[in-house]
Amino acid sequence: MFHIGPYTIDSQVILAPMAGVTDRPFRQLCKRMGAGLVVSEMVTSDTRLWKSRKSAYRLNHAGEVEPRSIQIAGGDPEMMAEAAIMNVQRGAQIIDINMGCPAKKVCNKAAGSALLKDEPLVRNILSAVTAAVDVPVTLKIRTGWDSSNKNALSIARIAEDAGIQALAVHGRTRSCGYKGEAEYDTIASINEAISIPVFANGDITSPEKAQQVLNHTGCSAVMIGRAAQGKPWLFREIDHYLRTGTILPPPQLEEIREILLAHLHELHSFYGDYLGVRIARKHVGWYLQDKPDGKSFRKTFNIIETAAEQATSIEKYFDNASNNGVAA
Ligand SMILES: Cc1cc2nc3c(=O)[nH]c(=O)nc-3n(C[C@H](O)[C@H](O)[C@H](O)COP(=O)(O)O)c2cc1C
């Protein structure tokens, strides 16, 4: 258990922000499955772009599970402060600042992890945002710009000084992309140096690994990104293991069917049929990626054009799988 401002977080496993993945339906699902906190996809701090369809979905926080943590990205202190205020007006209860994303689109505009190079600017952005809103502000970083510029420790101190209330660290430099092993030693030294909650992120894929990383780093929680795609029950498994030291049995086919059908339904109702059908293809692909017949099923699934047919097709897939005794 740990706290972010007034919020008590009762599970040591957090869903990482992932653009194109952690939309409202997925966040709600992960929360239900045991994530202590879920973070939105990033929203640009350039409020002029908020009229786009993509931003409209990202900015819709109605009926969300609490606390609603909304991530903003940008490189200009005033714009970031304004974006934070506007998100709070729309229901954000935590503002998360993205300085951890290596995406070219973000880096070229001097936002995301590119900012880590410029410590005075980092200080200005963080101070501007914490001064602008009453809700807790959190930060997500990488360990630095590249292997010879690993300044995460210094950024962490700046963050704590500026009033940031929790820090997520992806254990890689920006130039690493997703290559190499995450550096849990650096995360451990950051956690030791500051007293706000630190979340360890990078390559955590199982309950045992989550426990090892928590032991090694002393962090308040682990943050899970890619491993949760198509596997939202990972939160339940990790949470259970951290509490009891025992491994939960994997979900049975019947439960996966229920979870996937409910997720599909949420996607269709949140995005509407046209976009919902398209976004569902990606998620269904993840759910079935390890299944022996997943690949051939995906081929047929991906050409279906209506919400109702997608649901029927998933039902049929699971009916066949249980008749054929396919393991979950
Ligand atoms: C598809 C995708 C989208 C991502 N989008 C964001 C984002 O919007 N904001 C952010 O801070 N990090 C983003 N990340 C980085 C993740 O939050 C996380 O730090 C990274 O995936 C490492 O964790 P993992 O090994 O558990 O996946 C993204 C990662 C992926 C794979």
XYZ file of all heavy atoms in Angstrom, residues 16-19 21 42 71 98 101 140 170 178 201-204 223-226 229, ligand 1:
193
model
N 1.115 0.712 -17.016
C 1.895 1.793 -17.634
C 1.058 2.504 -18.705
O 0.224 1.872 -19.360
C 3.149 1.208 -18.288
N 1.307 3.792 -18.890
C 0.621 4.483 -19.988
C 1.146 3.972 -21.323
O 2.354 3.891 -21.520
C 1.024 5.950 -19.774
C 2.301 5.895 -19.000
C 2.244 4.659 -18.160
N 0.254 3.603 -22.218
C 0.681 3.188 -23.560
C -0.277 3.790 -24.582
O -1.462 3.443 -24.617
C 0.687 1.662 -23.689
C 1.810 0.986 -22.913
S 1.854 -0.802 -23.184
C 0.526 -1.347 -22.129
N 0.277 4.667 -25.412
C -0.530 5.293 -26.461
C -1.054 4.208 -27.393
O -0.316 3.306 -27.784
C 0.332 6.291 -27.230
N -3.062 1.905 -26.593
C -3.384 0.672 -25.865
C -4.226 0.972 -24.614
O -5.308 0.410 -24.429
C -2.108 -0.095 -25.431
C -2.485 -1.416 -24.766
C -1.180 -0.329 -26.616
N -0.966 9.145 -23.393
C -0.580 10.555 -23.264
C -1.488 11.449 -24.118
O -1.966 11.063 -25.172
C 0.874 10.753 -23.657
C 1.177 10.524 -25.102
S 2.921 10.810 -25.367
C 3.247 9.673 -26.689
N -2.092 11.411 -18.430
C -0.719 11.782 -18.774
C -0.681 12.882 -19.828
O -1.391 12.808 -20.828
C 0.052 10.576 -19.302
C 1.526 10.911 -19.445
C 2.349 9.781 -20.032
O 2.153 9.405 -21.184
N 3.260 9.246 -19.254
N 4.837 13.033 -18.969
C 5.620 12.064 -19.729
C 6.982 12.633 -20.099
O 7.095 13.510 -20.945
C 4.852 11.687 -21.001
C 5.636 10.712 -21.877
O 6.752 10.324 -21.553
N 5.033 10.325 -22.981
N 9.006 8.853 -22.952
C 8.611 8.228 -24.207
C 9.599 8.580 -25.313
O 9.853 9.751 -25.562
C 7.216 8.702 -24.589
S 6.592 7.828 -26.003
N 6.955 10.459 -15.236
C 7.508 9.204 -15.757
C 8.751 9.521 -16.577
O 8.713 10.377 -17.458
C 6.472 8.488 -16.612
C 6.962 7.158 -17.166
C 5.780 6.277 -17.532
C 6.205 4.999 -18.209
N 6.646 5.226 -19.586
N 11.316 3.970 -16.147
C 11.565 2.885 -17.101
C 13.081 2.719 -17.153
O 13.799 3.657 -17.502
C 10.979 3.264 -18.478
C 11.224 2.233 -19.530
N 10.983 2.462 -20.857
C 11.703 0.963 -19.455
C 11.290 1.378 -21.553
N 11.732 0.465 -20.723
N 13.865 -0.173 -26.801
C 13.407 -1.267 -25.934
C 14.458 -2.358 -25.854
O 14.184 -3.473 -25.440
C 12.076 -1.821 -26.451
C 10.955 -0.863 -26.176
C 10.589 0.089 -27.100
C 10.289 -0.894 -24.953
C 9.577 0.996 -26.829
C 9.278 0.000 -24.666
C 8.928 0.938 -25.602
O 7.938 1.828 -25.326
N 9.786 0.130 -13.690
C 9.160 -0.241 -14.958
C 10.204 -0.782 -15.937
O 11.331 -0.318 -15.963
C 8.468 1.014 -15.544
C 7.936 0.807 -16.950
O 8.275 1.565 -17.848
N 7.130 -0.219 -17.154
N 9.772 -1.763 -16.701
C 10.603 -2.308 -17.768
C 10.732 -3.808 -17.662
O 11.283 -4.322 -16.679
N 10.161 -4.515 -18.642
C 10.376 -5.961 -18.789
C 9.810 -6.802 -17.657
O 10.290 -7.909 -17.423
C 11.876 -6.289 -18.896
C 12.544 -5.568 -20.040
O 11.826 -5.143 -20.963
O 13.779 -5.413 -19.991
N 8.843 -6.322 -16.945
C 8.261 -7.140 -15.871
C 7.085 -7.910 -16.465
O 6.134 -7.320 -16.958
C 7.858 -6.272 -14.666
C 9.114 -5.587 -14.118
C 7.190 -7.141 -13.587
C 8.855 -4.443 -13.196
N 5.441 -1.267 -12.452
C 4.559 -0.751 -13.495
C 4.704 -1.659 -14.718
O 5.817 -1.950 -15.157
C 4.964 0.681 -13.825
C 4.175 1.312 -14.933
S 4.714 3.017 -15.250
C 3.473 3.934 -14.374
N 3.564 -2.118 -15.230
C 3.580 -3.117 -16.306
C 3.041 -2.522 -17.596
O 1.933 -1.979 -17.616
C 2.661 -4.322 -15.947
C 2.890 -4.808 -14.523
C 2.791 -5.443 -16.980
C 4.129 -5.592 -14.294
N 3.788 -2.645 -18.668
C 3.326 -2.173 -19.969
C 2.975 -3.318 -20.889
O 1.891 -3.917 -20.800
N 3.933 -3.680 -21.757
C 3.638 -4.615 -22.844
C 3.091 -5.962 -22.384
O 2.251 -6.551 -23.065
C 4.898 -4.802 -23.701
C 5.271 -3.543 -24.465
C 6.690 -3.604 -24.958
N 7.630 -3.635 -23.834
C 8.924 -3.906 -23.929
N 9.441 -4.178 -25.107
N 9.702 -3.902 -22.860
N -0.668 -6.460 -22.421
C -1.455 -6.445 -23.662
C -2.039 -7.838 -23.898
O -1.309 -8.822 -23.968
C -0.566 -6.052 -24.851
C -0.058 -4.624 -24.747
C 0.995 -4.290 -25.794
O 1.547 -5.152 -26.468
N 1.298 -3.014 -25.929
C 2.701 0.785 -27.631
C 3.366 1.565 -26.541
C 2.953 2.868 -26.281
C 3.555 3.615 -25.259
N 3.077 4.870 -24.993
C 3.568 5.562 -23.916
C 2.986 6.791 -23.509
O 2.005 7.287 -24.100
N 3.533 7.418 -22.445
C 4.607 6.909 -21.742
O 5.055 7.517 -20.779
N 5.163 5.726 -22.101
C 4.656 5.042 -23.152
N 5.181 3.811 -23.454
C 6.231 3.218 -22.594
C 5.605 2.312 -21.506
O 4.834 3.068 -20.596
C 6.690 1.558 -20.697
O 7.530 2.503 -20.084
C 7.548 0.644 -21.571
O 6.739 -0.129 -22.457
C 8.396 -0.312 -20.710
O 7.591 -1.137 -19.912
P 7.301 -2.685 -20.311
O 8.624 -3.360 -20.500
O 6.522 -3.225 -19.143
O 6.516 -2.649 -21.582
C 4.614 3.060 -24.490
C 5.025 1.754 -24.775
C 4.422 0.992 -25.775
C 4.882 -0.416 -26.022
